[in-house]
Amino acid sequence: MKQLAQNYKSGELSLLEVPVPACQPGGVLIRSAYSVISTGTEIMKVKESRLSLVGKARARPDQVQKVLRTVQQQGLVATYQKVMNRLDSLTPLGYSVAGEVIEVGEGVSSFKVGDRVACAGNKYALHAEFNWVPENLCVLVPPTVPMQQAAFATVGAIALQAVRQSEIHLGETACVIGLGLLGQIIVGLLRAAGVNVVGVDISESRCRLAEQMGAACGATPAGADMVRLRSALRDLTAGAGADCIFLASSTQSNEPVEMAADLARDRARVVDVGKTKLDLPWNAYYEKELDVRFSRSYGPGRYDPLYEEYGIDYPIGYVRWTERRNMACVVDMIGQGKLDLAPLISAEIAFEDALGTYESLRKGELAGTGFVFRYRDGTAVTRTIRTTPTQVAAAKSKVRLAVIGCGNYTSSMLMPHLVRNADVELVEVVTNTGLSAAQAQRKFGFRSVSTDARSVLDNPDVDAVVIGTRHSSHAELAALALRANKAVFVEKPLALDAVGIETVQAAARESGNSRLMVGFNRRFAPLLNEMKAAWGPRGGPHVVNYRINAGALEKGSWYLDRMGEGSRFAGEGGHFVDTLSWWMGADPVSVTNYAGIGDPDDVVATYTYPDHSVAVISYLTGGASNYPKELIEVSGESRNAVLHNFESFSVWKGGKIVRGKAGAIDKGQKNEVEAFVAAVKSGGPMPIAFESLVATTHFTLATQPSPALADAAQ
């Protein structure tokens, strides 16, 4: 299928041929009929992407602060790799689509194949011939609604949410400042609700269009026009002024905010729905006691993964208008003839002409308010694109490798080492979305791309599989790959529960294939190995303190999805349990944990070992963001050692101090990858014994407050 994408680093737009998305549980796969170009949001993204790195930093100072904090914790090299990986990536465009359901995912009851739907979401309703969209971001489109207008349902929901936030009433008067696509729909909705409307915009043609949409007067901010608007407003309100002002403009000027205060009545409401400067003139807003409100996107449910991704609806008795109900309301109003968006459609453009369209919009050569892409019919559903025919191959000197899941960690911390490894041949990459697969192929040179994991598992050209998907899928995918007789590298964690562990064990037992590696990379860190060598052979029990300053997660991080992806310690804790097992030379025999001491994600746990060694892991989320992440302290045999965040170490023994220092933080990913590849190529033992991987996973999960898992681990 074709999909529109942008490289944020270079600003280049591309119309790519990519695999059709997988139809996942909880959503539907749609064949797009029309998608709306957001001339505000999307063109702003296009222009921002063409800025220099300094310009991008100035445009997003919040991101610069995050980068600086990451440097302090993870070092300059690792941070640079992650940042450049994010910048040099293909990002999708679009968020408002209408089309036909062609596949229904497991658990979806609201839709069936053949339904006409309108869809939302800047990760889902994209400019692409096919889209997978979660159930709560889709609404049915009645036969009476033209699909061209249904494609505007998302933008309409944004406008409707602003109207709801205003709490405006029948017979009141509103002023809409900014008469772009969003402002025009607000005008139409207000008129349908029996509200008088006037509008302001710098474009004369948009002012006339607003009057066509029902505004009593549309005016530019120039002198004569504003006199006309003030006169109309005075007639409508008996001289009182507007009951509500909608700020729907996008500008760095403070003029809209100042104009709002001037046109508003005493104690009026000002609703910000655009991206405009908000330097409130204190006297003007204080004297009228203006009520300033914000309208956030499509409505309640937006940015809530439980609602959007897991399909958990808000009870209508508590939340009358969710984002989905807002979309449905807009579609119903179009179907009933109460809202006509046809005047807003300036042009229908064939999707094949997308690149030229964006360039014309960027240069200001294409005049109009609303533009829609029209998609061709009959495109085949293709989930695997192979550039080289698959055939049964003779034994090769290289490890023929495929990757399932190629997100930011895999792309920045694993793939660079695999690409540079002369013993690796990159055969195929599989991701949920075609665009991310195409991005991985562009960056790393995979021969083939797919959105179907079976494509890799059934491919005889693949010797080994790297699994870099989200945590909840690790156990199932690892088991399937083992049963397909592949060597498997799966990022931590191996599993999120005892059922997942048994799934992997059963696959290894029944297939006779236990060639498994889990991404516990710290035991391969060069500096930690230097410290162990400086310590010398172990001759007695040790006491180890391992402190992890995990810090707070960004809002919206999928690591916070405890229901779907497990706790933070379940996801990351295996690193630390495995490192201790490697140091002690044995797996733990017991664990006592004190989880949830402060924050629910805080963990302090004590592990014992066969030689009576003891280790304490303190996994803490409430520390300073600029404090180093990891500290390991070892005591025993008249010796001490300290590893400081993989930057330096000291070993005290025999009256002397041995010190070591790294040029850059290296937590062992390169050595880990090389060890896995070497084991696969030679057919020798895997870098970590299968039994140890299982034990580490058991004890990681047992560290959580779950008695059943604790019993299983012991």
Side-chain angles (χ1 to χ4, degrees):
M1 73 168 189
K2 293 189 181 300
Q3 178 167 1
L4 185 65
Q6 175 189 40
N7 184 303
Y8 188 72
K9 182 180 178 182
S10 67
E12 179 185 6
L13 285 172
S14 304
L15 195 59
L16 302 173
E17 191 70 34
V18 302
V20 172
C23 188
Q24 304 170 60
V28 294
L29 184 70
I30 70 152
R31 185 191 303 274
S32 302
Y34 294 91
S35 63
V36 174
I37 303 174
S38 173
T39 52
T41 303
E42 292 181 48
I43 300 306
M44 178 186 69
K45 285 183 179 179
V46 171
K47 290 180 178 179
E48 187 178 288
S49 71
R50 300 201 173 195
L51 298 173
S52 65
L53 288 177
V54 173
K56 288 182 173 74
R58 287 174 176 166
R60 295 296 307 272
D62 56 325
Q63 296 299 318
V64 173
Q65 291 301 315
K66 292 177 185 177
V67 169
L68 293 176
R69 288 194 294 268
T70 304
V71 169
Q72 291 172 319
Q73 277 212 336
Q74 300 183 21
L76 184 60
V77 174
T79 303
Y80 177 80
Q81 290 173 338
K82 288 183 179 181
V83 170
M84 297 313 295
N85 182 63
R86 284 189 181 275
L87 286 175
D88 188 19
S89 61
L90 298 174
T91 57
L93 293 172
Y95 62 86
S96 193
V97 172
E100 178 186 349
V101 175
I102 62 168
E103 285 187 48
V104 178
E106 181 184 348
V108 173
S109 58
S110 305
F111 305 102
K112 63 183 185 301
V113 172
D115 282 344
R116 301 188 335 148
V117 290
C119 309
N122 60 358
K123 294 190 294 184
Y124 307 109
L126 309 172
H127 295 312
E129 291 181 311
F130 296 89
N131 284 291
W132 178 85
V133 189
E135 185 175 18
N136 270 354
L137 292 178
C138 301
V139 296
L140 287 170
V141 176
T144 55
V145 177
M147 290 296 272
Q148 298 95 320
Q149 293 196 42
F152 286 82
T154 308
V155 188
I158 297 172
L160 183 55
Q161 177 63 13
V163 172
R164 297 197 193 285
Q165 286 293 90
S166 73
E167 296 183 287
I168 202 159
H169 298 104
L170 179 71
E172 290 188 331
T173 299
C175 175
V176 180
I177 300 177
L179 297 171
L181 178 59
L182 187 60
Q184 298 287 353
I185 298 178
I186 290 174
V187 170
L189 290 170
L190 290 170
R191 288 302 299 136
V195 175
N196 302 310
V197 189
V198 297
V200 181
D201 196 278
I202 58 174
S203 166
E204 177 70 29
S205 62
R206 288 182 176 181
C207 292
R208 302 292 76 79
L209 181 59
E211 291 174 348
Q212 187 178 347
M213 292 295 292
C217 176
T220 62
D225 244 10
M226 284 303 292
V227 169
R228 187 167 62 87
L229 181 134
R230 290 177 189 280
S231 176
L233 190 59
R234 187 168 50 250
D235 291 343
L236 290 169
T237 65
D243 298 286
C244 183
I245 310 289
F246 292 87
L247 297 175
S249 56
S250 178
T251 177
Q252 291 300 309
S253 167
N254 207 48
E255 186 177 354
V257 172
E258 296 168 3
M259 183 184 296
D262 183 41
L263 299 177
R265 66 164 169 81
D266 185 59
R267 293 174 174 79
R269 301 172 298 283
V270 177
V271 178
D272 177 46
V273 65
K275 188 175 182 180
T276 190
K277 186 175 181 180
L278 283 176
D279 186 3
L280 301 181
W282 188 85
N283 283 340
Y285 276 68
Y286 172 80
E287 288 170 2
K288 287 189 175 181
E289 201 174 324
L290 298 179
D291 181 358
V292 180
R293 303 180 180 186
F294 290 84
S295 179
R296 189 175 70 179
S297 201
Y298 329 145
R302 188 71 179 110
Y303 310 113
D304 178 358
L306 293 178
Y307 178 89
E308 293 191 334
E309 297 175 17
Y310 287 100
I312 299 176
D313 200 1
Y314 300 156
I316 196 168
Y318 292 90
V319 183
R320 177 61 183 90
W321 294 107
T322 59
E323 56 183 319
R324 187 183 187 189
R325 292 172 194 140
N326 276 340
M327 290 172 62
C329 182
V330 170
V331 170
D332 287 345
M333 291 179 71
I334 296 171
Q336 295 170 21
K338 297 177 181 178
L339 181 66
D340 183 11
L341 301 182
L344 303 183
I345 302 176
S346 303
E348 281 187 27
I349 302 160
F351 186 50
E352 291 78 7
D353 299 327
L355 299 182
T357 301
Y358 271 85
E359 186 62 15
S360 297
L361 286 169
R362 186 183 69 83
K363 292 180 178 179
E365 298 171 349
L366 194 59
T369 301
F371 300 91
V372 293
F373 286 133
R374 180 182 64 253
Y375 294 83
R376 60 187 177 180
D377 294 328
T379 305
V381 177
T382 305
R383 290 206 167 92
T384 302
I385 300 175
R386 289 209 166 97
T387 54
T388 304
T390 298
Q391 56 187 2
V392 178
K396 293 185 178 182
S397 59
K398 291 189 175 184
V399 173
R400 299 167 300 177
L401 187 139
V403 174
I404 302 177
C406 203
N408 192 49
Y409 180 83
T410 302
S411 295
S412 61
M413 305 308 294
L414 299 182
M415 287 308 305
H417 306 307
L418 289 168
V419 168
R420 290 192 287 265
N421 192 312
D423 291 328
V424 171
E425 179 184 349
L426 296 176
V427 176
E428 190 164 326
V429 61
V430 180
T431 64
N432 278 331
T433 67
L435 185 58
S436 55
Q439 175 175 304
Q441 184 181 48
R442 176 184 68 88
K443 294 179 72 171
F444 305 120
F446 288 94
R447 276 192 287 152
S448 305
V449 295
S450 181
T451 55
D452 182 3
R454 277 289 173 190
S455 173
V456 160
L457 301 178
D458 297 339
N459 188 347
D461 281 356
V462 173
D463 303 314
V465 176
V466 172
I467 299 171
T469 54
R470 289 191 179 183
H471 300 165
S472 57
S473 61
H474 286 186
E476 181 182 359
L477 287 172
L480 289 171
L482 289 173
R483 291 182 185 278
N485 201 33
K486 313 295 185 186
V488 181
F489 179 108
V490 59
E491 253 310 315
K492 50 78 195 164
L494 175 60
L496 290 176
D497 52 33
V499 173
I501 296 174
E502 173 54 29
T503 298
V504 175
Q505 288 180 295
R509 184 171 57 248
E510 294 164 12
S511 68
N513 175 23
S514 61
R515 297 189 62 70
L516 177 70
M517 170 73 170
V518 180
F520 299 141
N521 52 274
R522 281 155 175 79
R523 66 160 65 200
F524 299 95
L527 201 66
L528 185 55
N529 277 269
E530 285 184 39
M531 187 174 90
K532 191 173 185 180
W535 181 281
R538 290 183 70 248
H542 290 180
V543 175
V544 182
N545 289 301
Y546 200 152
R547 191 266 304 135
I548 301 96
N549 181 39
L553 291 173
E554 293 181 27
K555 185 179 180 182
S557 169
W558 63 267
Y559 255 86
L560 293 169
D561 178 12
R562 299 176 71 94
M563 183 175 76
E565 304 298 338
S567 70
R568 287 185 66 182
F569 193 83
E572 192 179 17
H575 275 318
F576 319 121
V577 176
D578 175 75
T579 301
L580 292 170
S581 296
W582 167 78
W583 182 273
M584 303 294 193
D587 297 314
V589 294
S590 70
V591 59
T592 303
N593 76 84
Y594 306 92
I597 296 166
D599 186 278
D601 287 319
D602 287 351
V603 171
V604 176
T606 303
Y607 305 82
T608 62
Y609 296 82
D611 67 350
H612 304 294
S613 291
V614 176
V616 177
I617 291 178
S618 301
Y619 184 86
L620 307 172
T621 61
S625 61
N626 61 344
Y627 189 73
K629 183 176 181 181
E630 296 179 46
L631 182 75
I632 302 175
E633 296 178 319
V634 186
S635 179
E637 305 178 85
S638 301
R639 307 173 195 179
N640 287 87
V642 176
L643 180 79
H644 187 272
N645 204 37
F646 297 89
E647 296 174 296
S648 64
F649 75 81
S650 300
V651 175
W652 290 261
K653 67 175 185 177
K656 296 180 180 180
I657 303 177
V658 180
R659 301 186 190 277
K661 189 172 183 179
I665 293 177
D666 182 348
K667 296 184 181 179
Q669 285 91 351
K670 178 176 181 292
N671 292 347
E672 163 194 56
V673 165
E674 289 180 349
F676 172 72
V677 171
V680 176
K681 182 181 178 183
S682 68
M686 298 302 281
I688 307 175
F690 183 86
E691 294 75 16
S692 182
L693 296 174
V694 170
T696 293
T697 305
H698 267 308
F699 276 95
T700 300
L701 299 178
T703 305
Q704 303 305 298
S706 172
L709 283 172
D711 292 343
Q714 298 182 51

